[in-house]
Amino acid sequence: MAHSERRGASSLNIGEVLAALAEEFPSMTASKIRFLEEKGLISPQRTPAGYRQYGERDVERLRFVLALQRDQYLPLKVIKDYLDAIDRGERPESLPGGLTLAPRAVSDDVAAELRTTRARELSEEQLRAESGASASLVESLRSYGLISEEDGRYDEHALQVARACVQLESHGIEPRHLGPFRAAAEREFGLVERAVAPIASRRDEAARARTAEAAREISDLCLTLHRALVHGRISRMEGS
């Protein structure tokens, strides 16, 4: 069923939606919900007086979108394209980031599947076990500023870095060779910060949501550009 079709008999106001999401998304606000509606991620019904009415499917759809943003770092456009395909009856196999979901209405089953991937904090032992990195490699990654820990815990980004560096090490590329990547990431972040500065100067919740979303989109475009430039150089190797 497309999310714009009629919901079940129960309907919630925006305050009740916030209460339903509070445990998993405590920082969620009415402004953020309205922002997601503006972006076409949800389409609540309206009463004759114009008040929004949310169904259980709207709540699950919100939970789906928020979990993907938080845990998979996906731009809203990517999530919307995926959901639009489901609404059209298509069968997209997976989302960027490797998360695979069946093409069904966003339900409690989908929400449960997403909750199993929520962002974690890892000890160094867990980081090494899940990435395959040796203790010396983890120490090198820390010393070269490629990963960092807080109170002895690492985040999912550190895990992704460690996994990549384990594979790079097998090609003879060590952390000491990767300084340009860190410098490039810092320059890219500086570029993103400047690009979103006009939005970031506003302090309301909706502006913060727009700032974060714009930053994700710009970063995604930068990564696409970087990949295309590198792959273009590699293709010349094949033709030489």
Side-chain angles (χ1 to χ4, degrees):
M1 176 189 296
H3 70 288
S4 58
E5 293 180 18
R6 188 160 186 85
R7 286 95 178 166
S10 64
S11 63
L12 306 171
N13 61 37
I14 200 164
E16 290 168 328
V17 173
L18 289 171
L21 297 171
E23 182 176 355
E24 193 173 358
F25 303 99
S27 63
M28 190 62 176
T29 66
S31 295
K32 179 66 179 291
I33 292 177
R34 286 191 286 269
F35 171 69
L36 293 174
E37 180 184 349
E38 176 188 315
K39 291 293 186 180
L41 275 299
I42 58 169
S43 297
Q45 290 185 343
R46 298 275 185 154
T47 68
Y51 294 106
R52 294 172 175 86
Q53 288 185 318
Y54 300 88
E56 290 300 324
R57 283 180 177 272
D58 293 313
V59 176
E60 292 307 323
R61 195 173 178 99
L62 279 168
R63 187 172 282 121
F64 178 92
V65 171
L66 294 169
L68 282 176
Q69 272 196 304
R70 180 194 62 197
D71 303 333
Q72 303 295 321
Y73 316 106
L74 296 177
L76 288 180
K77 184 181 184 304
V78 173
I79 300 171
K80 184 177 185 301
D81 288 346
Y82 182 84
L83 289 174
D84 285 348
I86 292 175
D87 290 339
R88 291 192 300 269
E90 297 174 11
R91 294 182 170 271
E93 293 182 359
S94 65
L95 282 156
L99 183 63
T100 300
L101 297 172
R104 56 184 180 270
V106 180
S107 63
D108 288 332
D109 292 337
V110 173
E113 189 169 355
L114 284 167
R115 279 195 288 272
T116 65
T117 65
R118 78 163 47 189
R120 297 172 298 147
E121 292 184 339
L122 299 91
S123 66
E124 181 170 332
E125 182 179 356
Q126 290 172 313
L127 177 72
R128 289 167 49 194
E130 294 192 29
S131 66
S134 64
S136 60
L137 178 58
V138 171
E139 175 58 33
S140 292
L141 294 175
R142 276 200 307 264
S143 66
Y144 285 100
L146 294 167
I147 62 172
S148 61
E149 50 86 19
E150 185 173 347
D151 298 326
R153 311 294 290 182
Y154 297 87
D155 62 16
E156 291 282 348
H157 298 292
L159 177 58
Q160 292 174 26
V161 169
R163 282 174 172 162
C165 288
V166 166
Q167 297 299 315
L168 289 170
E169 193 176 42
S170 69
H171 294 282
I173 300 175
E174 301 174 7
R176 62 191 176 89
H177 300 134
L178 300 176
F181 287 89
R182 180 187 173 192
E186 290 174 351
R187 287 196 300 271
E188 180 185 322
F189 180 70
L191 179 65
V192 171
E193 271 194 315
R194 289 193 296 275
V196 301
I199 316 172
S201 61
R202 297 175 55 189
R203 299 299 179 188
D204 59 283
E205 183 65 28
R208 285 196 290 271
R210 288 185 176 88
T211 299
E213 179 55 23
R216 287 189 187 95
E217 289 182 1
I218 295 167
S219 176
D220 195 50
L221 290 169
C222 288
L223 291 172
T224 300
L225 173 62
H226 174 83
R227 188 180 303 111
L229 291 171
V230 173
H231 286 181
R233 293 296 186 95
I234 293 171
S235 68
R236 293 174 199 166
M237 294 171 62
E238 295 174 336
S240 60

